[in-house]
CSV table of all heavy atoms in Angstrom, one decimal:
chain,number,residue,atom,x,y,z
A,19,MET,N,0.9,-1.1,0.0
A,19,MET,CA,0.0,0.0,0.0
A,19,MET,C,0.9,1.2,-0.1
A,19,MET,O,1.8,1.4,0.9
A,19,MET,CB,-0.9,-0.1,1.2
A,19,MET,CG,-1.9,1.0,1.2
A,19,MET,SD,-3.1,1.1,2.7
A,19,MET,CE,-3.3,-0.6,3.2
A,20,PRO,N,0.7,2.1,-0.9
A,20,PRO,CA,1.6,3.3,-1.0
A,20,PRO,C,1.2,4.2,0.1
A,20,PRO,O,0.1,4.3,0.5
A,20,PRO,CB,1.2,3.9,-2.4
A,20,PRO,CG,0.0,3.4,-2.7
A,20,PRO,CD,-0.1,2.1,-2.1
A,21,ILE,N,2.2,5.0,0.5
A,21,ILE,CA,2.1,6.0,1.6
A,21,ILE,C,1.9,7.5,1.1
A,21,ILE,O,1.8,8.4,1.8
A,21,ILE,CB,3.1,5.9,2.7
A,21,ILE,CG1,4.5,6.3,2.2
A,21,ILE,CG2,3.0,4.6,3.3
A,21,ILE,CD1,5.5,6.4,3.2
A,22,HIS,N,2.0,7.6,-0.3
A,22,HIS,CA,2.0,8.9,-0.8
A,22,HIS,C,0.4,9.3,-1.1
A,22,HIS,O,-0.3,8.5,-1.5
A,22,HIS,CB,2.7,9.0,-2.1
A,22,HIS,CG,4.2,8.5,-2.0
A,22,HIS,ND1,5.1,9.4,-1.3
A,22,HIS,CD2,4.8,7.5,-2.3
A,22,HIS,CE1,6.2,8.7,-1.2
A,22,HIS,NE2,6.1,7.5,-1.8
A,23,PRO,N,0.1,10.6,-0.8
A,23,PRO,CA,-1.2,11.0,-1.1
A,23,PRO,C,-1.5,11.1,-2.6
A,23,PRO,O,-0.5,11.2,-3.5
A,23,PRO,CB,-1.3,12.4,-0.6
A,23,PRO,CG,0.1,12.9,-0.5
A,23,PRO,CD,1.0,11.7,-0.4
A,24,PRO,N,-2.7,11.0,-3.0
A,24,PRO,CA,-3.1,11.1,-4.4
A,24,PRO,C,-2.7,12.5,-5.0
A,24,PRO,O,-2.7,13.4,-4.2
A,24,PRO,CB,-4.6,10.8,-4.5
A,24,PRO,CG,-4.9,10.3,-3.2
A,24,PRO,CD,-3.8,10.6,-2.2
A,25,GLN,N,-2.4,12.4,-6.3
A,25,GLN,CA,-2.1,13.8,-6.9
A,25,GLN,C,-3.3,14.6,-6.9
A,25,GLN,O,-4.4,14.2,-7.2
A,25,GLN,CB,-1.6,13.5,-8.4
A,25,GLN,CG,-0.3,12.8,-8.4
A,25,GLN,CD,0.8,13.6,-7.8
A,25,GLN,OE1,1.0,14.8,-7.9
A,25,GLN,NE2,1.7,12.8,-7.1
A,26,GLN,N,-3.1,16.0,-6.6
A,26,GLN,CA,-4.2,16.9,-6.5
A,26,GLN,C,-5.0,17.1,-7.8
A,26,GLN,O,-6.1,17.3,-7.9
A,26,GLN,CB,-3.7,18.2,-5.9
A,26,GLN,CG,-3.3,18.1,-4.4
A,26,GLN,CD,-4.5,17.9,-3.5
A,26,GLN,OE1,-5.7,18.3,-3.9
A,26,GLN,NE2,-4.3,17.4,-2.4
A,27,HIS,N,-4.1,17.2,-8.9
A,27,HIS,CA,-4.7,17.6,-10.2
A,27,HIS,C,-4.7,16.4,-11.1
A,27,HIS,O,-4.7,16.6,-12.3
A,27,HIS,CB,-3.8,18.8,-10.8
A,27,HIS,CG,-3.6,19.8,-9.9
A,27,HIS,ND1,-4.6,20.7,-9.8
A,27,HIS,CD2,-2.6,20.4,-9.1
A,27,HIS,CE1,-4.3,21.7,-8.9
A,27,HIS,NE2,-3.1,21.5,-8.5
A,28,GLN,N,-4.8,15.3,-10.6
A,28,GLN,CA,-4.8,14.1,-11.5
A,28,GLN,C,-6.3,14.0,-12.0
A,28,GLN,O,-7.2,14.0,-11.2
A,28,GLN,CB,-4.5,12.9,-10.6
A,28,GLN,CG,-4.4,11.6,-11.4
A,28,GLN,CD,-4.1,10.4,-10.4
A,28,GLN,OE1,-3.9,10.6,-9.2
A,28,GLN,NE2,-3.8,9.3,-11.0
A,29,GLN,N,-6.3,13.6,-13.2
A,29,GLN,CA,-7.7,13.3,-13.8
A,29,GLN,C,-8.2,11.9,-13.3
A,29,GLN,O,-7.5,11.0,-13.4
A,29,GLN,CB,-7.6,13.2,-15.3
A,29,GLN,CG,-7.5,14.6,-16.0
A,29,GLN,CD,-8.8,15.3,-15.9
A,29,GLN,OE1,-9.8,14.8,-15.6
A,29,GLN,NE2,-8.7,16.7,-16.1
A,30,ARG,N,-9.4,11.9,-12.8
A,30,ARG,CA,-9.9,10.6,-12.3
A,30,ARG,C,-10.6,9.9,-13.4
A,30,ARG,O,-11.3,10.5,-14.3
A,30,ARG,CB,-10.8,10.8,-11.1
A,30,ARG,CG,-10.1,11.4,-9.9
A,30,ARG,CD,-10.8,11.5,-8.6
A,30,ARG,NE,-10.9,10.0,-8.3
A,30,ARG,CZ,-10.3,9.4,-7.4
A,30,ARG,NH1,-9.2,10.0,-6.8
A,30,ARG,NH2,-10.6,8.2,-7.1
A,31,SER,N,-10.6,8.5,-13.4
A,31,SER,CA,-11.4,7.9,-14.4
A,31,SER,C,-12.9,8.1,-14.2
A,31,SER,O,-13.4,8.3,-13.0
A,31,SER,CB,-11.0,6.5,-14.5
A,31,SER,OG,-11.3,5.9,-13.2
A,32,ALA,N,-13.7,7.8,-15.1
A,32,ALA,CA,-15.1,7.8,-15.0
A,32,ALA,C,-15.7,6.8,-13.9
A,32,ALA,O,-15.1,5.7,-13.9
A,32,ALA,CB,-15.9,7.6,-16.3
A,33,PRO,N,-16.5,7.2,-13.1
A,33,PRO,CA,-17.0,6.3,-12.0
A,33,PRO,C,-17.7,5.1,-12.7
A,33,PRO,O,-18.2,5.1,-13.8
A,33,PRO,CB,-17.9,7.1,-11.2
A,33,PRO,CG,-18.4,8.2,-12.1
A,33,PRO,CD,-17.2,8.5,-13.1
A,34,ALA,N,-17.7,4.0,-11.9
A,34,ALA,CA,-18.4,2.7,-12.3
A,34,ALA,C,-19.8,2.9,-12.5
A,34,ALA,O,-20.3,3.7,-11.7
A,34,ALA,CB,-18.0,1.6,-11.4
A,35,PRO,N,-20.5,2.3,-13.3
A,35,PRO,CA,-22.0,2.5,-13.4
A,35,PRO,C,-22.6,2.0,-12.2
A,35,PRO,O,-22.1,1.1,-11.5
A,35,PRO,CB,-22.3,1.5,-14.6
A,35,PRO,CG,-21.1,1.2,-15.3
A,35,PRO,CD,-19.9,1.5,-14.4
A,36,GLY,N,-23.6,2.7,-11.7
A,36,GLY,CA,-24.3,2.3,-10.6
A,36,GLY,C,-23.9,3.0,-9.3
A,36,GLY,O,-24.5,2.8,-8.3
A,37,ARG,N,-22.8,3.6,-9.3
A,37,ARG,CA,-22.3,4.3,-8.2
A,37,ARG,C,-23.2,5.7,-7.9
A,37,ARG,O,-23.4,6.4,-8.8
A,37,ARG,CB,-20.8,4.7,-8.2
A,37,ARG,CG,-19.9,3.5,-8.1
A,37,ARG,CD,-18.6,3.9,-8.4
A,37,ARG,NE,-17.9,4.3,-7.1
A,37,ARG,CZ,-16.9,4.8,-6.9
A,37,ARG,NH1,-15.9,4.8,-7.9
A,37,ARG,NH2,-16.5,5.3,-5.7
A,38,SER,N,-23.6,5.8,-6.7
A,38,SER,CA,-24.5,7.0,-6.5
A,38,SER,C,-23.6,8.3,-6.3
A,38,SER,O,-22.4,8.2,-6.1
A,38,SER,CB,-25.1,6.8,-5.2
A,38,SER,OG,-24.3,6.8,-4.1
A,39,SER,N,-24.2,9.4,-6.6
A,39,SER,CA,-23.5,10.6,-6.5
A,39,SER,C,-23.0,11.0,-5.1
A,39,SER,O,-22.0,11.6,-5.0
A,39,SER,CB,-24.3,11.8,-6.9
A,39,SER,OG,-25.4,12.0,-6.2
A,40,GLY,N,-23.7,10.3,-4.1
A,40,GLY,CA,-23.2,10.5,-2.7
A,40,GLY,C,-21.9,9.9,-2.5
A,40,GLY,O,-21.0,10.3,-1.9
A,41,VAL,N,-21.6,8.8,-3.1
A,41,VAL,CA,-20.4,7.9,-3.0
A,41,VAL,C,-19.3,8.8,-3.7
A,41,VAL,O,-18.2,8.9,-3.2
A,41,VAL,CB,-20.5,6.5,-3.6
A,41,VAL,CG1,-19.1,5.8,-3.6
A,41,VAL,CG2,-21.4,5.6,-2.8
A,42,ARG,N,-19.6,9.3,-4.9
A,42,ARG,CA,-18.6,10.1,-5.6
A,42,ARG,C,-18.3,11.4,-4.8
A,42,ARG,O,-17.1,11.8,-4.8
A,42,ARG,CB,-19.2,10.4,-6.9
A,42,ARG,CG,-19.2,9.3,-7.9
A,42,ARG,CD,-19.5,9.7,-9.4
A,42,ARG,NE,-20.9,10.3,-9.5
A,42,ARG,CZ,-21.9,9.8,-9.8
A,42,ARG,NH1,-21.9,8.5,-10.3
A,42,ARG,NH2,-23.1,10.4,-9.9
A,43,GLN,N,-19.2,11.9,-4.2
A,43,GLN,CA,-18.9,13.2,-3.4
A,43,GLN,C,-18.1,12.8,-2.1
A,43,GLN,O,-17.2,13.6,-1.9
A,43,GLN,CB,-20.2,13.8,-3.0
A,43,GLN,CG,-21.0,14.6,-4.1
A,43,GLN,CD,-22.3,15.1,-3.6
A,43,GLN,OE1,-22.9,14.8,-2.6
A,43,GLN,NE2,-22.9,16.0,-4.5
A,44,ALA,N,-18.4,11.8,-1.6
A,44,ALA,CA,-17.5,11.4,-0.3
A,44,ALA,C,-16.1,11.1,-0.8
A,44,ALA,O,-15.2,11.5,0.0
A,44,ALA,CB,-18.2,10.0,0.4
A,45,GLU,N,-16.0,10.4,-1.9
A,45,GLU,CA,-14.7,10.1,-2.4
A,45,GLU,C,-13.9,11.4,-2.7
A,45,GLU,O,-12.7,11.5,-2.3
A,45,GLU,CB,-14.7,9.1,-3.6
A,45,GLU,CG,-13.4,8.9,-4.1
A,45,GLU,CD,-13.5,8.0,-5.4
A,45,GLU,OE1,-14.0,8.5,-6.3
A,45,GLU,OE2,-12.9,6.8,-5.4
A,46,ALA,N,-14.6,12.3,-3.4
A,46,ALA,CA,-13.9,13.6,-3.6
A,46,ALA,C,-13.6,14.4,-2.5
A,46,ALA,O,-12.4,14.9,-2.4
A,46,ALA,CB,-14.8,14.5,-4.6
A,47,ALA,N,-14.4,14.4,-1.5
A,47,ALA,CA,-14.1,15.0,-0.1
A,47,ALA,C,-12.8,14.4,0.5
A,47,ALA,O,-12.0,15.1,1.0
A,47,ALA,CB,-15.3,15.0,0.8
A,48,LEU,N,-12.8,13.0,0.6
A,48,LEU,CA,-11.7,12.4,1.1
A,48,LEU,C,-10.3,12.7,0.4
A,48,LEU,O,-9.3,13.0,1.0
A,48,LEU,CB,-11.8,10.8,1.2
A,48,LEU,CG,-12.8,10.3,2.2
A,48,LEU,CD1,-13.0,8.8,2.0
A,48,LEU,CD2,-12.3,10.6,3.6
A,49,VAL,N,-10.3,12.7,-0.9
A,49,VAL,CA,-9.1,12.9,-1.7
A,49,VAL,C,-8.7,14.5,-1.6
A,49,VAL,O,-7.5,14.8,-1.3
A,49,VAL,CB,-9.4,12.6,-3.2
A,49,VAL,CG1,-8.3,13.1,-4.0
A,49,VAL,CG2,-9.6,11.1,-3.4
A,50,GLU,N,-9.7,15.3,-1.5
A,50,GLU,CA,-9.5,16.8,-1.4
A,50,GLU,C,-8.8,17.0,0.0
A,50,GLU,O,-7.9,17.9,0.1
A,50,GLU,CB,-10.7,17.5,-1.5
A,50,GLU,CG,-10.6,19.0,-1.4
A,50,GLU,CD,-11.9,19.9,-1.5
A,50,GLU,OE1,-12.8,19.2,-2.0
A,50,GLU,OE2,-11.8,21.0,-1.1
A,51,HIS,N,-9.3,16.4,1.1
A,51,HIS,CA,-8.9,16.7,2.4
A,51,HIS,C,-7.8,15.7,2.9
A,51,HIS,O,-7.6,15.6,4.1
A,51,HIS,CB,-10.0,16.8,3.3
A,51,HIS,CG,-11.0,17.8,2.9
A,51,HIS,ND1,-10.7,19.2,3.0
A,51,HIS,CD2,-12.2,17.8,2.5
A,51,HIS,CE1,-11.8,19.8,2.6
A,51,HIS,NE2,-12.7,19.0,2.3
A,52,TYR,N,-7.2,15.0,2.0
A,52,TYR,CA,-6.3,14.0,2.5
A,52,TYR,C,-5.1,14.4,3.4
A,52,TYR,O,-5.0,13.8,4.5
A,52,TYR,CB,-5.7,13.3,1.2
A,52,TYR,CG,-4.7,12.1,1.5
A,52,TYR,CD1,-5.2,10.8,1.6
A,52,TYR,CD2,-3.3,12.3,1.7
A,52,TYR,CE1,-4.3,9.8,1.9
A,52,TYR,CE2,-2.6,11.2,1.9
A,52,TYR,CZ,-3.1,10.0,2.0
A,52,TYR,OH,-2.3,8.9,2.3
A,53,PRO,N,-4.5,15.5,3.1
A,53,PRO,CA,-3.4,15.9,4.0
A,53,PRO,C,-3.9,16.2,5.4
A,53,PRO,O,-3.3,15.8,6.4
A,53,PRO,CB,-2.9,17.2,3.4
A,53,PRO,CG,-3.2,17.1,2.0
A,53,PRO,CD,-4.5,16.3,1.8
A,54,ARG,N,-5.1,16.9,5.6
A,54,ARG,CA,-5.6,17.2,6.8
A,54,ARG,C,-6.0,15.9,7.6
A,54,ARG,O,-6.0,15.8,8.8
A,54,ARG,CB,-6.8,18.2,6.7
A,54,ARG,CG,-6.4,19.6,6.5
A,54,ARG,CD,-7.6,20.5,6.5
A,54,ARG,NE,-7.9,20.7,5.1
A,54,ARG,CZ,-8.9,21.5,4.6
A,54,ARG,NH1,-9.6,22.1,5.5
A,54,ARG,NH2,-9.2,21.6,3.3
A,55,LEU,N,-6.7,14.9,6.9
A,55,LEU,CA,-7.2,13.7,7.5
A,55,LEU,C,-5.9,12.9,8.0
A,55,LEU,O,-5.9,12.4,9.1
A,55,LEU,CB,-7.8,12.8,6.5
A,55,LEU,CG,-9.2,13.5,6.0
A,55,LEU,CD1,-9.7,12.7,4.8
A,55,LEU,CD2,-10.2,13.4,7.2
A,56,VAL,N,-4.9,13.0,7.3
A,56,VAL,CA,-3.6,12.3,7.8
A,56,VAL,C,-3.0,13.0,9.0
A,56,VAL,O,-2.6,12.2,10.0
A,56,VAL,CB,-2.4,12.2,6.6
A,56,VAL,CG1,-1.2,11.7,7.2
A,56,VAL,CG2,-3.0,11.3,5.5
A,57,ARG,N,-3.0,14.2,9.0
A,57,ARG,CA,-2.6,14.9,10.2
A,57,ARG,C,-3.5,14.6,11.4
A,57,ARG,O,-2.9,14.4,12.5
A,57,ARG,CB,-2.5,16.5,10.1
A,57,ARG,CG,-1.4,16.9,9.2
A,57,ARG,CD,-1.3,18.5,9.1
A,57,ARG,NE,-0.7,18.9,7.9
A,57,ARG,CZ,-1.4,19.3,6.8
A,57,ARG,NH1,-2.7,19.6,7.0
A,57,ARG,NH2,-0.9,19.6,5.7
A,58,LEU,N,-4.7,14.7,11.2
A,58,LEU,CA,-5.7,14.3,12.3
A,58,LEU,C,-5.4,12.9,12.7
A,58,LEU,O,-5.4,12.5,14.1
A,58,LEU,CB,-7.1,14.5,11.8
A,58,LEU,CG,-8.2,14.1,12.8
A,58,LEU,CD1,-8.2,15.0,14.0
A,58,LEU,CD2,-9.6,14.2,12.1
A,59,ALA,N,-5.3,11.9,11.8
A,59,ALA,CA,-5.1,10.6,12.2
A,59,ALA,C,-3.7,10.5,13.0
A,59,ALA,O,-3.6,9.8,14.0
A,59,ALA,CB,-4.9,9.6,11.0
A,60,TYR,N,-2.8,11.2,12.7
A,60,TYR,CA,-1.4,11.2,13.3
A,60,TYR,C,-1.5,11.7,14.8
A,60,TYR,O,-1.1,11.1,15.6
A,60,TYR,CB,-0.4,12.2,12.4
A,60,TYR,CG,0.9,12.2,13.2
A,60,TYR,CD1,1.9,11.3,13.0
A,60,TYR,CD2,1.2,13.3,13.9
A,60,TYR,CE1,3.2,11.4,13.5
A,60,TYR,CE2,2.4,13.5,14.6
A,60,TYR,CZ,3.4,12.6,14.3
A,60,TYR,OH,4.6,12.6,15.0
A,61,VAL,N,-2.3,12.7,14.9
A,61,VAL,CA,-2.6,13.3,16.3
A,61,VAL,C,-3.2,12.4,17.2
A,61,VAL,O,-2.9,12.3,18.4
A,61,VAL,CB,-3.3,14.7,16.1
A,61,VAL,CG1,-3.7,15.2,17.5
A,61,VAL,CG2,-2.5,15.7,15.4
A,62,VAL,N,-4.1,11.6,16.7
A,62,VAL,CA,-4.9,10.8,17.6
A,62,VAL,C,-4.2,9.3,17.9
A,62,VAL,O,-4.6,8.6,18.8
A,62,VAL,CB,-6.3,10.5,17.1
A,62,VAL,CG1,-7.0,11.8,17.0
A,62,VAL,CG2,-6.4,9.8,15.8
A,63,LEU,N,-3.2,9.0,17.1
A,63,LEU,CA,-2.5,7.8,17.3
A,63,LEU,C,-1.5,7.9,18.5
A,63,LEU,O,-1.1,9.0,18.9
A,63,LEU,CB,-1.6,7.4,16.1
A,63,LEU,CG,-2.4,6.9,15.0
A,63,LEU,CD1,-1.5,6.8,13.7
A,63,LEU,CD2,-3.0,5.5,15.2
A,64,PRO,N,-1.4,6.9,19.3
A,64,PRO,CA,-0.5,6.9,20.5
A,64,PRO,C,0.9,7.4,20.3
A,64,PRO,O,1.5,6.8,19.4
A,64,PRO,CB,-0.6,5.6,21.1
A,64,PRO,CG,-1.1,4.7,20.0
A,64,PRO,CD,-1.8,5.6,19.0
A,65,PRO,N,1.4,8.3,21.1
A,65,PRO,CA,2.8,8.7,20.9
A,65,PRO,C,3.8,7.7,21.0
A,65,PRO,O,5.0,7.7,20.5
A,65,PRO,CB,3.0,9.9,21.9
A,65,PRO,CG,1.7,10.3,22.4
A,65,PRO,CD,0.8,9.1,22.1
A,66,ALA,N,3.6,6.6,21.8
A,66,ALA,CA,4.4,5.6,22.0
A,66,ALA,C,4.9,4.8,20.7
A,66,ALA,O,5.9,4.1,20.8
A,66,ALA,CB,3.9,4.5,23.0
A,67,LEU,N,4.0,5.0,19.6
A,67,LEU,CA,4.4,4.3,18.5
A,67,LEU,C,5.7,4.9,18.0
A,67,LEU,O,6.4,4.2,17.1
A,67,LEU,CB,3.3,4.5,17.3
A,67,LEU,CG,2.1,3.6,17.6
A,67,LEU,CD1,1.0,3.9,16.5
A,67,LEU,CD2,2.4,2.2,17.7
A,68,GLY,N,6.0,6.1,18.1
A,68,GLY,CA,7.2,6.9,17.6
A,68,GLY,C,6.8,7.5,16.3
A,68,GLY,O,5.6,7.2,15.7
A,69,ARG,N,7.5,8.5,15.8
A,69,ARG,CA,7.0,9.4,14.8
A,69,ARG,C,6.8,8.5,13.4
A,69,ARG,O,5.8,8.7,12.8
A,69,ARG,CB,8.1,10.5,14.6
A,69,ARG,CG,7.6,11.5,13.5
A,69,ARG,CD,8.6,12.6,13.3
A,69,ARG,NE,8.2,13.5,12.3
A,69,ARG,CZ,8.4,13.4,11.1
A,69,ARG,NH1,9.0,12.4,10.5
A,69,ARG,NH2,7.9,14.4,10.2
A,70,HIS,N,7.8,7.8,13.1
A,70,HIS,CA,7.9,7.1,11.8
A,70,HIS,C,6.6,6.2,11.7
A,70,HIS,O,5.9,6.2,10.6
A,70,HIS,CB,9.1,6.4,11.5
A,70,HIS,CG,9.2,5.7,10.3
A,70,HIS,ND1,9.3,6.4,9.0
A,70,HIS,CD2,9.1,4.4,9.9
A,70,HIS,CE1,9.3,5.4,8.0
A,70,HIS,NE2,9.2,4.3,8.5
A,71,ARG,N,6.4,5.4,12.7
A,71,ARG,CA,5.4,4.3,12.7
A,71,ARG,C,4.0,5.1,12.6
A,71,ARG,O,3.0,4.8,12.1
A,71,ARG,CB,5.5,3.5,13.8
A,71,ARG,CG,6.5,2.4,13.6
A,71,ARG,CD,6.6,1.3,14.6
A,71,ARG,NE,5.4,0.6,14.7
A,71,ARG,CZ,5.0,-0.1,15.8
A,71,ARG,NH1,5.9,-0.2,16.8
A,71,ARG,NH2,4.0,-0.8,15.8
A,72,ARG,N,3.8,6.3,13.4
A,72,ARG,CA,2.6,7.1,13.4
A,72,ARG,C,2.3,7.6,12.1
A,72,ARG,O,1.1,7.6,11.6
A,72,ARG,CB,2.7,8.2,14.5
A,72,ARG,CG,2.5,7.7,15.9
A,72,ARG,CD,2.9,8.8,16.9
A,72,ARG,NE,1.9,9.9,17.0
A,72,ARG,CZ,2.0,10.9,17.6
A,72,ARG,NH1,3.1,11.2,18.2
A,72,ARG,NH2,1.1,11.9,17.6
A,73,VAL,N,3.4,8.2,11.3
A,73,VAL,CA,3.1,8.7,9.9
A,73,VAL,C,2.6,7.6,9.1
A,73,VAL,O,1.6,7.8,8.4
A,73,VAL,CB,4.4,9.2,9.4
A,73,VAL,CG1,4.3,9.5,7.9
A,73,VAL,CG2,4.7,10.5,10.3
A,74,LEU,N,3.3,6.3,9.0
A,74,LEU,CA,2.8,5.3,8.3
A,74,LEU,C,1.4,4.9,8.6
A,74,LEU,O,0.5,4.6,7.8
A,74,LEU,CB,3.8,4.2,8.4
A,74,LEU,CG,5.2,4.4,7.8
A,74,LEU,CD1,6.1,3.1,8.1
A,74,LEU,CD2,5.1,4.8,6.3
A,75,ALA,N,1.2,4.7,9.9
A,75,ALA,CA,-0.2,4.2,10.3
A,75,ALA,C,-1.3,5.3,10.0
A,75,ALA,O,-2.4,5.0,9.6
A,75,ALA,CB,-0.2,4.1,11.9
A,76,ALA,N,-0.9,6.5,10.1
A,76,ALA,CA,-1.8,7.6,9.7
A,76,ALA,C,-2.2,7.6,8.2
A,76,ALA,O,-3.4,7.6,7.8
A,76,ALA,CB,-1.4,9.1,10.0
A,77,HIS,N,-1.2,7.4,7.4
A,77,HIS,CA,-1.5,7.3,6.0
A,77,HIS,C,-2.3,6.0,5.6
A,77,HIS,O,-3.1,6.1,4.9
A,77,HIS,CB,-0.2,7.3,5.1
A,77,HIS,CG,0.5,8.5,4.9
A,77,HIS,ND1,0.1,9.4,3.8
A,77,HIS,CD2,1.4,9.2,5.5
A,77,HIS,CE1,0.7,10.4,3.9
A,77,HIS,NE2,1.6,10.5,4.9
A,78,GLY,N,-2.0,5.0,6.3
A,78,GLY,CA,-2.7,3.7,6.1
A,78,GLY,C,-4.1,3.8,6.5
A,78,GLY,O,-5.1,3.3,5.7
A,79,ALA,N,-4.4,4.4,7.6
A,79,ALA,CA,-5.8,4.7,8.1
A,79,ALA,C,-6.6,5.5,7.0
A,79,ALA,O,-7.8,5.1,6.8
A,79,ALA,CB,-5.9,5.3,9.4
A,80,VAL,N,-6.1,6.5,6.6
A,80,VAL,CA,-6.8,7.3,5.6
A,80,VAL,C,-7.0,6.7,4.3
A,80,VAL,O,-8.0,6.7,3.6
A,80,VAL,CB,-6.1,8.8,5.4
A,80,VAL,CG1,-6.8,9.5,4.3
A,80,VAL,CG2,-6.1,9.5,6.7
A,81,GLN,N,-6.0,5.9,3.9
A,81,GLN,CA,-6.1,5.2,2.6
A,81,GLN,C,-7.1,4.1,2.7
A,81,GLN,O,-7.7,3.8,1.7
A,81,GLN,CB,-4.7,4.7,2.1
A,81,GLN,CG,-3.8,5.8,1.7
A,81,GLN,CD,-2.4,5.3,1.4
A,81,GLN,OE1,-2.1,4.2,1.3
A,81,GLN,NE2,-1.5,6.3,0.9
A,82,ARG,N,-7.2,3.4,3.9
A,82,ARG,CA,-8.3,2.4,3.9
A,82,ARG,C,-9.6,3.0,3.9
A,82,ARG,O,-10.6,2.4,3.6
A,82,ARG,CB,-8.1,1.7,5.3
A,82,ARG,CG,-7.0,0.6,5.2
A,82,ARG,CD,-7.0,-0.2,6.4
A,82,ARG,NE,-6.8,0.5,7.7
A,82,ARG,CZ,-5.5,0.8,8.2
A,82,ARG,NH1,-4.4,0.5,7.6
A,82,ARG,NH2,-5.5,1.5,9.3
A,83,ALA,N,-9.8,4.3,4.3
A,83,ALA,CA,-11.0,5.0,4.2
A,83,ALA,C,-11.4,5.3,2.8
A,83,ALA,O,-12.6,5.5,2.5
A,83,ALA,CB,-11.0,6.2,5.0
A,84,LEU,N,-10.5,5.4,1.9
A,84,LEU,CA,-10.7,5.7,0.4
A,84,LEU,C,-11.3,4.5,-0.3
A,84,LEU,O,-10.9,3.3,-0.1
A,84,LEU,CB,-9.5,6.0,-0.3
A,84,LEU,CG,-8.7,7.3,0.1
A,84,LEU,CD1,-7.5,7.5,-0.6
A,84,LEU,CD2,-9.6,8.6,-0.3
A,85,PRO,N,-12.4,4.8,-1.1
A,85,PRO,CA,-13.0,3.6,-1.8
A,85,PRO,C,-12.0,2.9,-2.7
A,85,PRO,O,-11.3,3.6,-3.4
A,85,PRO,CB,-14.1,4.2,-2.5
A,85,PRO,CG,-14.3,5.6,-2.0
A,85,PRO,CD,-13.1,6.0,-1.3
A,86,GLY,N,-12.1,1.6,-2.9
A,86,GLY,CA,-11.3,0.8,-3.8
A,86,GLY,C,-10.3,1.5,-4.5
A,86,GLY,O,-9.5,1.1,-5.1
């Protein structure tokens, strides 16, 4: 699983047929706010993990929230 955020100006492929506009809006919001979500996840993780593991865990948590 990559730890890099999605590119901000990347063209997204057309959504799969049958996906509701609510799902598309939620996905767009997650991608748009990715850096802030990672920072929030980092802050709430336990400090005992250490900085490096917290950064990786924060990225992983946000990426798991992104649809497929």
Side-chain angles (χ1 to χ4, degrees):
M19 187 177 331
I21 61 169
H22 303 290
Q25 295 296 320
Q26 293 287 338
H27 302 288
Q28 181 180 11
Q29 287 286 344
R30 299 195 62 100
S31 61
R37 291 179 75 183
S38 71
S39 64
V41 171
R42 287 190 298 260
Q43 288 176 343
E45 181 183 61
L48 285 171
V49 171
E50 180 182 347
H51 299 293
Y52 184 89
R54 283 186 264 179
L55 292 169
V56 170
R57 284 188 212 104
L58 179 62
Y60 177 86
V61 169
V62 299
L63 286 167
L67 287 178
R69 184 181 185 274
H70 183 72
R71 286 183 61 197
R72 283 170 70 192
V73 168
L74 293 178
H77 277 281
V80 175
Q81 288 177 4
R82 282 190 301 275
L84 292 171

